[in-house]
Amino acid sequence: MRNTRVVLALCILLALGACSKFRTYNGPEVTRIVVYKGERKMYLLHHDSVLATHDIDLGFAPAGHKQFEGDGKTPEGRYYIDRRNPNSKFHLSLGISYPNPDDIAFAAKNGRSPGGDIFIHGEVNRDQRKNLDWTAGCIAVKKREMEKIYAMVGDGTVIDIYP
């Protein structure tokens, strides 16, 4: 009887662990993220080797570089992963260091705010979306993919976003 309880307890713990959104990763370090907006692809790289490829959704106005708050564009250029949000309303998220000093200066010169809070995050349910590109400027992937990305990518990782 005692063995049955121990086995049952272990099964429950394993099942709960399998349901967790927090995963572990023991592979090569992700040294860079590359996003090609036009292809709707994101690549996680270890130097020149591709570790993972993901299909992405973008801001609701995907063409061009983000310039102002509310423009619906995903930024272009070199940024960094600068924060993590384990409690994101989009499952999990990794913050992108937009706006940089150039983005801030451009917006200020035009009397506008550059916006902010740009993330890589999980997606909403497909039936809740109206369009392929639906974010306010973020990069979205499937929730299960975001779990892997969250485990693989560290703070300070370079992210290059191309048109």
Side-chain angles (χ1 to χ4, degrees):
M1 183 71 168
R2 184 175 189 285
N3 286 342
T4 303
R5 286 184 189 161
V6 169
V7 169
L8 181 60
L10 286 173
C11 288
I12 290 170
L13 288 174
L14 286 172
L16 288 174
C19 295
S20 173
K21 64 183 177 181
F22 299 106
R23 300 193 181 199
T24 58
Y25 174 71
N26 296 316
E29 174 189 15
V30 175
T31 57
R32 183 173 168 225
I33 302 168
V34 177
V35 173
Y36 291 101
K37 290 170 45 175
E39 297 175 13
R40 304 299 189 276
K41 294 284 185 188
M42 179 172 67
Y43 302 91
L44 305 184
L45 303 173
H46 174 72
H47 302 295
D48 293 329
S49 298
V50 176
L51 299 174
T53 303
H54 300 282
D55 293 327
I56 59 171
D57 297 336
L58 299 169
F60 61 82
H65 173 58
K66 181 166 192 61
Q67 296 177 317
F68 308 116
E69 183 174 8
D71 66 9
K73 296 181 180 183
T74 301
E76 296 172 359
R78 175 163 279 189
Y79 297 94
Y80 301 89
I81 300 302
D82 65 353
R83 61 201 181 279
R84 309 170 83 69
N85 184 357
N87 300 311
S88 170
K89 69 179 179 179
F90 298 106
H91 197 54
L92 294 167
S93 62
L94 297 173
I96 297 173
S97 63
Y98 176 88
N100 65 27
D102 291 337
D103 298 320
I104 294 167
F106 180 83
K109 184 174 124 180
N110 288 278
R112 307 271 306 269
S113 166
D117 286 337
I118 302 297
F119 289 86
I120 300 170
H121 60 65
E123 67 181 0
V124 295
N125 295 331
R126 289 200 179 270
D127 58 344
Q128 294 175 325
R129 299 187 339 207
K130 294 180 180 152
N131 300 312
L132 173 66
D133 294 317
W134 57 273
T135 76
C138 297
I139 298 165
V141 297
K142 293 178 181 161
K143 289 179 182 178
R144 295 294 168 233
E145 292 175 330
M146 190 62 221
E147 292 171 4
K148 294 175 187 172
I149 294 164
Y150 195 87
M152 292 174 76
V153 175
D155 289 355
T157 301
V158 170
I159 178 168
D160 288 314
I161 306 171
Y162 297 105

